[in-house]
Amino acid sequence: MAENKELTKKEDLILFLSDTDEREGLLGKKNRKLLSDPLTDNNPITVQVLGICSALAITVQLEPAIVMSLAVMAVMAFSNMIISMLRNLIPSRIRIIVQLVIVAALVILVDQVLRAYAYDVSKQLSVFVGLIITNCIVMGRLEAFALGNGVYKSFLDGIGNAAGYAFILILVAFFRELLGAGKLFGAQIIPDSWYEAGYSNNGLMLLSPMALITVGIIIWVQRSRNRSLIEQN
Amino acid sequence: MDRNSNAYTFIFAVILVAVVASALAFAATQLQPAQAENVKNEKMQNILGTVGIEVSRDSAAVPFDKYIVERIALDSKGQEKTEVNAFEVDLKKELKKDVEEQSFPLYVANVEGAKYYIVPLRGKGLWDAIWGYIALKDDVNTIKGAVFDHKGETPGLGGEITQVWFKKRFDDEKVFDESGNFIGVSVAKGYQGGDNKDDNAVDAISGATITGDGVTDMISERLERYLPYFKNKTNVKVAAN
């Protein structure tokens, strides 16, 4: 009997779904919230102010922004799952290093796979794939969520936060490419007649500071719509 | 076992690192052939692109053999090095050697009777290496076409040197000035020359000044190394000095 009890305990350690998950169903209300919250009131960029650096760097054009979002999504989903699986085994003193090793390994893997099977995309993203390692959102979610929650929930949390990141990235890239280069996905949108009439592209939009200002405007709009996000002090 | 003990921490770290390292090593060796193939095909595609032959990356090998009639490796004095395979020359390694010891690969293309010299380029951008190929018509002065690529330039800024509209600016530019001195082509900020093809300059990219300067330096530094070879060609107007 005693042996049996120990076994079930051990199984609990690496069980994919915690008790509450099983009762709730795969896309129950709480799980849906994990996906939808980061898109709105708990957005990693505009509310938690994480991952700003890459939001500045790769939002000059839409296409790299989208591919970068997908790469971040893959890395976040898998790193969240792996850390969550190991959460009861990781020694707490070296947990940050363990997280870094896992994230770095996944990023290198994504980079290698892209280079072999999606060569053009990997060239377009160049350095930024490597920089996913330093994206604060990834480490932030590992620390804040994956270390304390089940594997499936962590997976949803990873997808949700990456989607929140993607949403802002794509929005910023949309405005920067449209106003800075008059293009979307590399195709000219602003008609030639506008240029002839004196319209000119705003070159400033292509520089990093304007990404920050665009993010600032998005934060402004978001907080004026949802006043509970405004800090009281 | 106590998860906070030193022994546990140590063992955990060792196992984790061993597992991760072997997984990555396995993935890298499995993916390596596909990656090398991509790089090789892209090199052929780029070389063909400079003489106006657009092919997809996967189907570059056949037209490459058809149009590129000679692949020569030169030494710094312009003499052919017969023992070196020009296509295999890695400029990254060559640039670390002294000029006297470097091999300078040169491709000669024959497209419908017209002869072109294609020179591989390599230099430094803002963040990392930039490289490319430049094709000269058989007066060794007029540029037929150029392609550029980079390792780590900022997408949307310096990374734009790979774009068609940027490389088109080099078409028909001259690398010698009117008195026959070698200049190269400079990527000029605030360029006002319009379509002038004789001023040895093209318009730069906004926000990519340092990458543009890198392109300028790369073209003049690399092309200059081939002057001894071109001087032996009778139809080239190379200055007397």
Side-chain angles (χ1 to χ4, degrees), chain A residues 57-58 60-61 64 86-94 97-98 101-102 104-106 108-109 111-120 123-128 183 203 206-208, chain B residues 3-6 8-10 12-13 16-17 20 23-24 27-28 30-32 34-35 38-39 42 46 57 127-128 131 149-157 160 162-163 165 206-207:
Chain A
I58 37 144
V60 178
Q61 290 166 339
L86 297 174
R87 69 185 185 279
N88 293 324
L89 297 172
I90 299 173
S92 61
R93 273 185 296 173
I94 58 162
I97 303 173
V98 172
V101 169
I102 303 263
L106 282 167
I108 295 169
L109 212 57
D111 189 36
Q112 295 282 329
V113 169
L114 286 180
R115 240 183 259 177
Y117 299 112
Y119 191 65
D120 301 301
K123 292 190 60 161
Q124 209 176 14
L125 287 178
S126 59
V127 287
F128 295 110
K183 298 174 182 171
L206 297 177
L207 303 178
S208 313
Chain B
R3 271 208 288 145
N4 289 318
S5 72
N6 286 345
Y8 180 86
T9 308
F10 193 72
F12 185 89
L16 177 80
V17 170
V20 167
L24 285 183
Q30 289 299 305
L31 296 171
Q32 213 272 334
Q35 294 172 353
N38 282 340
V39 172
E42 187 190 35
N46 281 341
R57 198 175 56 236
W127 302 116
D128 213 318
W131 59 89
D149 209 339
H150 64 95
K151 186 172 177 201
E153 301 307 297
T154 318
L157 299 173
E160 296 288 278
T162 58
Q163 299 288 321
W165 52 260
S206 319

Side-chain angles (χ1 to χ4, degrees), chain B residues 121 134 148 170 184-185 215-223:
Chain B
L121 311 169
I134 195 160
F148 302 105
F170 288 81
V185 179
V215 173
T216 307
D217 295 344
M218 164 169 92
I219 292 174
S220 62
E221 191 269 333
R222 285 280 98 189
L223 279 184

Side-chain angles (χ1 to χ4, degrees), chain B residues 13-238:
Chain B
V14 169
I15 294 174
L16 177 80
V17 170
V19 169
V20 167
S22 39
L24 285 183
F26 178 74
T29 40
Q30 289 299 305
L31 296 171
Q32 213 272 334
Q35 294 172 353
E37 189 70 14
N38 282 340
V39 172
K40 188 178 142 210
N41 285 337
E42 187 190 35
K43 185 172 177 180
M44 293 182 182
Q45 185 193 25
N46 281 341
I47 291 173
L48 288 174
T50 59
V51 291
I53 298 163
E54 298 299 336
V55 289
S56 74
R57 198 175 56 236
D58 297 332
S59 61
V62 175
F64 186 79
D65 287 334
K66 182 181 163 199
Y67 291 110
I68 306 298
V69 289
E70 279 183 77
R71 306 165 201 185
I72 321 166
L74 302 171
D75 65 15
S76 59
K77 305 212 169 47
Q79 302 299 317
E80 273 188 46
K81 283 181 169 179
T82 44
E83 74 282 6
V84 180
N85 179 348
F87 192 76
E88 302 285 319
V89 172
D90 184 357
L91 278 188
K92 187 180 175 184
K93 289 182 189 147
E94 295 299 311
L95 280 168
K96 288 186 182 136
K97 300 180 191 166
D98 293 332
V99 175
E100 287 74 30
E101 287 166 21
Q102 288 185 23
S103 297
F104 301 94
L106 177 72
Y107 303 91
V108 182
N110 189 329
V111 183
E112 285 149 18
K115 195 173 185 184
Y116 303 108
Y117 297 97
I118 303 164
V119 174
L121 311 169
R122 191 175 175 96
K124 287 192 186 75
L126 171 59
W127 302 116
D128 213 318
I130 52 175
W131 59 89
Y133 299 88
I134 195 160
L136 300 172
K137 294 183 179 168
D138 67 354
D139 61 356
V140 199
N141 182 15
T142 316
I143 294 174
K144 164 69 178 167
V147 295
F148 302 105
D149 209 339
H150 64 95
K151 186 172 177 201
E153 301 307 297
T154 318
L157 299 173
E160 296 288 278
I161 59 169
T162 58
Q163 299 288 321
V164 175
W165 52 260
F166 181 69
K167 63 186 195 194
K168 280 262 178 263
R169 292 177 183 171
F170 288 81
D171 295 359
D172 300 323
E173 285 286 337
K174 306 285 192 293
V175 296
F176 289 89
D177 68 7
E178 275 156 16
S179 40
N181 299 309
F182 175 74
I183 303 287
V185 179
S186 53
V187 179
K189 207 171 158 181
Y191 180 71
Q192 298 291 338
D195 283 336
N196 186 344
K197 294 295 185 189
D198 298 320
D199 57 359
N200 309 107
V202 296
D203 194 7
I205 303 170
S206 319
T209 308
I210 295 174
T211 310
D213 291 347
V215 173
T216 307
D217 295 344
M218 164 169 92
I219 292 174
S220 62
E221 191 269 333
R222 285 280 98 189
L223 279 184
E224 203 172 7
R225 307 281 180 216
Y226 291 82
L227 294 184
Y229 175 78
F230 290 137
K231 270 181 185 163
N232 298 332
K233 305 264 159 189
T234 47
N235 56 345
V236 184
K237 49 164 189 175
V238 179

Side-chain angles (χ1 to χ4, degrees), chain A residues 62-80:
Chain A
L62 262 175
E63 203 186 320
I66 290 173
V67 179
M68 179 70 173
S69 304
L70 292 176
V72 168
M73 198 174 277
V75 170
M76 283 196 72
F78 284 109
S79 62
N80 257 7

